[in-house]
């Protein structure tokens, strides 16, 4: 990994796999939320017909539109971080040819500012005015163009290359991507709370229905209920503690950096 790290973190394959993984997480979370809300709605309907529960009818056009909405929204949110239009917001550094010893590793804007400011004799007052496009232009002017310059040797470290596990869930107040990551975590937390509310309500309604309907319907309802609870439960158990850890890490209550790879690679995939 050390040998291929630069090409991997700046490459299209890393971004593609990052989009796939992030889209999958969004689709899973949104789907579980939709299932919970639909299940609660159907249980509410059934509770009004205790003597003769209605036969549930699938509304395929509505289900198709809901599924399409979930997939499209998930993919769009996952693609936004790798758009060149938002490069200043989602990129944390640049990668240079190893032969260029002036820039080692993946220097951020602060490191670039110090070098550029020294070269241009202090004309740059603050690093906040530097965009990555301007940085590339200024760096390019520092080197000879006799052999094609260095523009082809400079590559941006894209959002999914900022972390070894693609999505950068652990951020602090100093990270450029903090608002995006906090927004994603907020959406996940909201979905989990909706799911928890739905299934608490469903459990209450199920007890009411079970005491007033036939044994056959009650048995079938319990089986369906158990299957969905397993799906929802694994999702909740995997994500809720992780989001709490992310929040504690963001506010620097704890440093969970060493836990990230284990949680991302081992714990989170369990819900799949």
């Amino acid at each position: 990994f050390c040998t291929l790290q630069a090409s991997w973190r700046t490459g299209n394959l890393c971004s593609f796999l990052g989009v796939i993984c992030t889209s999958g997480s969004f689709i899973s979370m949104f789907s579980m939320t939709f299932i919970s809300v639909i299940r609660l709605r159907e249980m509410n309907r059934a509770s009004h017909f205790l003597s003769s529960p209605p036969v549930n009818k699938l509304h395929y056009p509505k289900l198709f539109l809901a599924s399409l909405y979930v997939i499209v929204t998930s993919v769009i949110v996952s693609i936004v971080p790798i758009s060149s239009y938002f490069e200043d917001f989602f990129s944390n550094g640049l990668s240079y040819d190893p032969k260029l010893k002036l820039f080692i590793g993946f220097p951020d804007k602060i490191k670039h500012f110090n070098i550029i400011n020294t070269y241009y004799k202090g004309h740059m007052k603050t690093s906040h005015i530097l965009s990555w496009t301007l940085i590339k232009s200024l760096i390019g002017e520092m080197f000879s163009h006799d052999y094609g310059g260095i523009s082809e040797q400079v590559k941006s470290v894209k959002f999914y290359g900022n972390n070894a596990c693609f999505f950068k869930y652990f951020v602090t107040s100093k990270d450029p991507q903090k608002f995006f990551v906090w927004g994603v975590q907020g959406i996940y937390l909201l979905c989990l709370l909706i799911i928890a509310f739905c299934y608490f309500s469903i459990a209450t309604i199920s007890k009411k229905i079970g005491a007033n309907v036939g044994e056959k319907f009650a048995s079938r309802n319990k089986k369906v209920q158990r299957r969905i609870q397993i799906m929802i439960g694994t999702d909740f158990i995997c994500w809720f503690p992780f989001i709490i850890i992310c929040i504690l890490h963001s506010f620097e209550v704890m440093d969970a950096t060493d836990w990230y790879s284990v949680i991302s690679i081992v714990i989170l995939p369990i819900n799949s």
Side-chain angles (χ1 to χ4, degrees):
F1 179 75
C2 293
T3 305
L4 302 175
Q5 181 181 184
S7 59
W8 168 254
R9 294 179 64 179
T10 59
N12 292 328
L13 181 58
C14 176
S15 295
F16 174 74
L17 293 178
V19 169
I20 295 297
C21 291
T22 306
S23 298
S25 295
F26 271 114
I27 291 171
S28 172
M29 187 64 70
F30 289 154
S31 297
M32 293 299 101
T33 305
F34 270 108
I35 290 173
S36 301
V37 172
I38 291 171
R39 182 68 177 158
L40 176 59
R41 177 173 172 269
E42 293 302 316
M43 291 298 289
N44 272 323
R45 287 181 58 201
S47 68
H48 294 296
F49 298 90
L50 296 178
S51 60
S52 179
V55 178
N56 293 333
K57 294 182 179 180
L58 294 176
H59 301 282
Y60 289 106
K62 291 183 179 180
L63 287 175
F64 173 77
L65 290 176
S67 301
L68 184 64
Y69 173 79
V70 166
I71 294 172
V72 171
T73 302
S74 301
V75 172
I76 289 176
V77 174
S78 303
I79 289 177
V80 166
I82 62 174
S83 170
S84 58
Y85 185 79
F86 299 106
E87 182 182 39
D88 284 315
F89 187 71
F90 289 106
S91 180
N92 277 356
L94 298 178
S95 173
Y96 293 84
D97 189 305
K99 296 178 181 178
L100 190 62
K101 303 301 181 181
L102 184 61
F103 300 100
I104 304 298
F106 307 97
D108 57 14
K109 285 187 177 182
I110 300 298
K111 292 181 180 179
H112 278 97
F113 171 76
N114 294 334
I115 294 174
I116 291 172
N117 200 39
T118 300
Y119 181 83
Y120 288 99
K121 305 185 185 302
H123 290 168
M124 309 297 293
K125 300 301 181 183
T126 173
S127 62
H128 295 296
I129 65 172
L130 291 177
S131 66
W132 286 119
T133 301
L134 179 58
I135 287 174
K136 292 174 185 177
S137 176
L138 293 173
I139 294 296
E141 293 300 321
M142 292 169 55
F143 295 87
S144 170
H145 292 264
D146 292 344
Y147 301 97
I150 65 166
S151 59
E152 297 298 324
Q153 304 173 22
V154 183
K155 296 180 179 180
S156 297
V157 179
K158 299 177 182 178
F159 177 72
Y160 295 112
N162 287 330
N163 190 280
C165 299
F166 298 122
F167 197 93
K168 187 179 179 181
Y169 285 105
F170 286 0
V171 295
T172 63
S173 58
K174 298 178 182 179
D175 280 289
Q177 302 87 22
K178 59 184 178 183
F179 293 115
F180 177 76
V181 174
W182 288 345
V184 169
Q185 291 172 0
I187 292 172
Y188 282 178
L189 184 59
L190 177 62
C191 288
L192 290 171
L193 292 176
I194 292 173
I195 290 170
F197 169 78
C198 287
Y199 272 86
F200 178 80
S201 302
I202 289 171
T204 303
I205 296 172
S206 294
K207 290 181 180 179
K208 180 181 177 182
I209 293 178
N212 292 275
V213 299
E215 184 179 340
K216 183 177 180 180
F217 177 80
S219 176
R220 185 184 66 178
N221 185 60
K222 284 182 179 180
K223 289 181 180 179
V224 174
Q225 184 84 350
R226 193 178 299 114
R227 291 173 184 172
I228 298 178
Q229 282 178 341
I230 291 172
M231 289 191 297
I232 301 297
T234 54
D235 224 40
F236 193 89
I237 292 172
C238 291
W239 278 105
F240 190 75
F242 178 61
I243 292 175
I244 298 301
I245 292 173
C246 289
I247 293 173
L248 295 176
H249 180 87
S250 295
F251 289 96
E252 300 181 7
V253 175
M254 62 181 294
D255 185 2
T257 305
D258 294 336
W259 301 4
Y260 189 77
S261 58
V262 175
I263 295 173
S264 299
I265 298 174
V266 179
I267 305 299
L268 290 184
I270 293 175
N271 75 90
S272 301

